[in-house]
């Protein structure tokens, strides 16, 4: 539910990115645990906005421990004191970045949105990428620039044609209950996978002559708890053992993009 009309509260949609290596996922960790989430840092920075009501981030897409995000999204409400105009989106983004206390998080852009906009419910798709490397048999042999950003497979090559063919069987609407982890809070395990692909990744300059990079990409509206990480360990993916950063040292998945229905001008990612 959005803020009451006339309350002087402005709602914003913010896009942000992070390297997830040092975080226990994107969601805030409450209590006295030593673990911390990206949301903890975002809300700590938002305290400096001096909102009448404490600012809470409603995250569009949760990511697990160690997972990076090229672009995640959230909405937040800021209520300024009587007589103060709402922050412009540009000032809001600049202020959050100025007060963020972790260098691995950055706010990319902010937009004013209606008071009933909801970052999680309005998202129409989410894209996840998993970067694999062949020809490097030990993770500690990876370039220091690539550690925690890709997974070194104990293989010299991939049967990409077989993986592409197998991936097509996952497309469409299916019951993915066999792919979710224990304790998932989801009320339904039916999900629609819109895209699944395997392609060469030539984007990194830190590639040794014997190495090759590959990207597994998947797009869907929503996913189950650790659904992609578990599907990465299925024989359906032709022997790709796991892409879960929390279970494979040096592995790296990342949230690449989120699309919204009827986004503000220029805000679709």
């Amino acid at each position: 539910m959005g803020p009451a009309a006339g309350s002087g509260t402005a709602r914003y949609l913010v896009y942000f990115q992070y390297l997830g290596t040092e975080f226990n996922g994107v969601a805030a960790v409450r209590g006295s645990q030593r673990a911390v989430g990206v949301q903890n840092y975002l809300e700590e920075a938002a305290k400096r906005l001096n909102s009448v009501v404490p600012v809470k981030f409603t995250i569009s897409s949760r990511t697990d421990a160690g997972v990076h995000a090229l672009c995640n999204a959230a909405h937040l409400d800021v209520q300024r004191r009587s007589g103060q105009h709402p922050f412009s989106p540009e000032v809001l983004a600049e202020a959050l970045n100025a007060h963020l206390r972790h260098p691995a998080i950055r706010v990319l852009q902010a937009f004013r949105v209606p008071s009933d906009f909801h970052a999680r419910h309005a998202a129409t798709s989410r894209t996840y990428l998993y970067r694999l490397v062949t020809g490097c048999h030990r993770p500690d042999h990876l370039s220091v620039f690539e550690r925690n950003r890709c997974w070194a497979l104990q293989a010299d090559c991939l049967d990409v044609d077989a993986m592409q063919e197998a991936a097509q069987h996952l497309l469409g609407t299916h019951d993915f209950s066999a792919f979710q982890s224990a304790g998932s809070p989801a009320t339904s395990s039916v999900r629609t996978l819109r895209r699944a692909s395997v392609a060469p990744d030539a984007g990194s300059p830190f590639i040794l002559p014997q190495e090759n990079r590959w990207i597994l990409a998947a797009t869907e509206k929503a996913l189950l708890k650790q659904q992609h990480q578990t599907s990465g360990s299925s024989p359906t993916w032709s022997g790709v053992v796991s892409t879960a950063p929390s279970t494979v040292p040096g592995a790296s998945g990342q949230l690449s993009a989120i699309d919204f229905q009827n986004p503000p001008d220029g805000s679709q990612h």
Side-chain angles (χ1 to χ4, degrees), residues 87-103:
F87 292 114
S88 70
E90 295 77 16
V91 167
L92 179 82
E94 184 176 348
L96 290 173
N97 280 326
H99 298 299
L100 274 169
R101 296 174 55 197
H102 202 294

Side-chain angles (χ1 to χ4, degrees), residues 3 7 10-11 46 84 96 103 107 128 138 147 149-150 154 169 195 198 201-202 209 218 258:
S7 65
R11 177 161 291 190
Q84 294 182 321
L96 290 173
V107 174
Y128 295 83
R138 290 177 48 180
R147 290 176 189 172
R149 292 170 175 80
C150 64
Q154 294 186 1
H169 294 286
R195 180 172 71 98
V198 183
D201 175 18
I258 300 174

Side-chain angles (χ1 to χ4, degrees), residues 7 19 39 57 59 67 74 95 107 113 115-116 145 157 169 179 205 208 210 214 216 221 232 235 241-242 250 258:
S7 65
L19 290 173
Q39 185 179 354
F57 280 67
I59 307 294
V67 177
V107 174
V113 291
S115 61
D116 60 351
F145 299 103
C157 61
H169 294 286
F179 294 90
L208 297 177
Q210 72 273 21
W214 304 90
L216 278 66
K221 181 175 181 180
V241 179
S242 175
I258 300 174

Side-chain angles (χ1 to χ4, degrees), residues 214-236:
W214 304 90
I215 288 183
L216 278 66
T219 299
E220 58 190 303
K221 181 175 181 180
L223 74 159
L224 300 168
K225 185 178 181 182
Q226 294 188 336
Q227 175 183 330
H228 285 312
Q229 290 90 328
T230 308
S231 62
S233 65
S234 165
T236 305

